[in-house]
Amino acid sequence: MTNISRCLHRSLAIFCVGNITMKTVTVAIGLIIFATYHDCDPLTTKKIKKIDQILPYYVMDTVANVPGLPGLFIAGVFSASLSTLSSTMNCLSGTIYEDFIFPFIRENKRLQSRAHIILKITVVVIGLVCIAMVFIVERLGGVFELSLSLSGITMGTFLGVFTLGMVFPWANAKGALVGTMTSFLLMSWMSLGAQHAMASGSFSFPQLPLSVESCDDFNVTQSYYPKNQA
């Protein structure tokens, strides 16, 4: 085994451990929040407007009296999101330049010398598109569910391609391309159709029953159940 293979295997192992740890912590936080607010739902009592606000509300509700901790939480959220967003936008800009722009300027040495300017302009355009998408995303329900649904479009396609390469070594590039496009269209139809159904209210995921019985400043004492469980 070469040094490159060892590094790849080590990187994959570290990634798997980190990803499993992150998912475990995320699920644990969700269970803790549900256990805390199962008898006084902040969304039902209008203390929060969207379900995505539940984690910041929980932090401010439980550790607001600890000096510096709420600010540290907000700083962590912003730093994590900005670092992920910046690396993703730079990677996307480089991919667009290499695959779509460079073939057209291959013979133009002058434009190639200004590749850094083209990359910066591409990042700005991608950022403007992302900002414009905010007005669409806010109408599609929870951001977490939406991000998982949209990432499933590409993740499912990649899984199919990698599985094809590992299980069927005699597959050729043309078959892989056709399968990739078919998988992408099918996953897009499923994911976007599900998002449209949830936005229109014709489809929703089942939720655990919530209550407002222990709320001191809420005058409704009966349990609250989602519409699909009523």
Side-chain angles (χ1 to χ4, degrees), residues 9-197:
H9 291 170
R10 188 177 304 170
S11 300
L12 182 60
I14 295 174
F15 170 79
C16 292
V17 172
N19 196 27
I20 292 173
T21 303
M22 183 186 67
K23 299 296 183 182
T24 303
V25 172
T26 302
V27 172
I29 292 174
L31 293 174
I32 292 173
I33 292 176
F34 175 77
T36 303
Y37 297 118
H38 73 282
D39 55 355
C40 185
D41 180 33
L43 187 62
T44 307
T45 57
K46 306 300 181 182
K47 293 181 179 179
I48 58 176
K49 296 181 180 180
K50 297 182 66 175
I51 195 61
D52 297 320
Q53 300 172 343
I54 186 67
L55 181 57
Y57 176 81
Y58 172 75
V59 172
M60 296 304 299
D61 188 33
T62 55
V63 297
N65 58 338
V66 180
L69 191 55
L72 181 62
F73 169 78
I74 298 299
V77 171
F78 274 99
S79 63
S81 60
L82 290 177
S83 63
T84 303
L85 184 62
S86 62
S87 60
T88 302
M89 292 176 64
N90 288 326
C91 180
L92 183 59
S93 175
T95 303
I96 292 175
Y97 174 82
E98 186 68 25
D99 294 340
F100 299 100
I101 299 178
F102 182 75
F104 294 99
I105 63 174
R106 189 186 305 272
E107 306 298 331
N108 194 327
K109 300 298 182 181
R110 182 181 178 184
L111 289 178
Q112 290 185 26
S113 64
R114 299 181 178 178
H116 62 287
I117 299 178
I118 299 176
L119 290 172
K120 292 178 181 178
I121 294 175
T122 306
V123 170
V124 172
V125 173
I126 295 173
L128 294 176
V129 173
C130 292
I131 294 175
M133 289 294 294
V134 171
F135 300 98
I136 301 176
V137 171
E138 67 178 359
R139 300 178 181 274
L140 297 179
V143 176
F144 183 71
E145 294 179 1
L146 179 62
S147 63
L148 290 181
S149 179
L150 294 181
S151 64
I153 297 176
T154 55
M155 294 300 179
T157 303
F158 288 153
L159 177 62
V161 173
F162 279 102
T163 303
L164 177 68
M166 292 185 296
V167 181
F168 304 99
W170 56 84
N172 54 29
K174 185 179 296 185
L177 178 62
V178 173
T180 299
M181 296 303 299
T182 303
S183 175
F184 180 79
L185 293 176
L186 182 61
M187 292 298 298
S188 299
W189 173 66
M190 294 174 60
S191 299
L192 297 179
Q195 289 299 320
H196 179 269

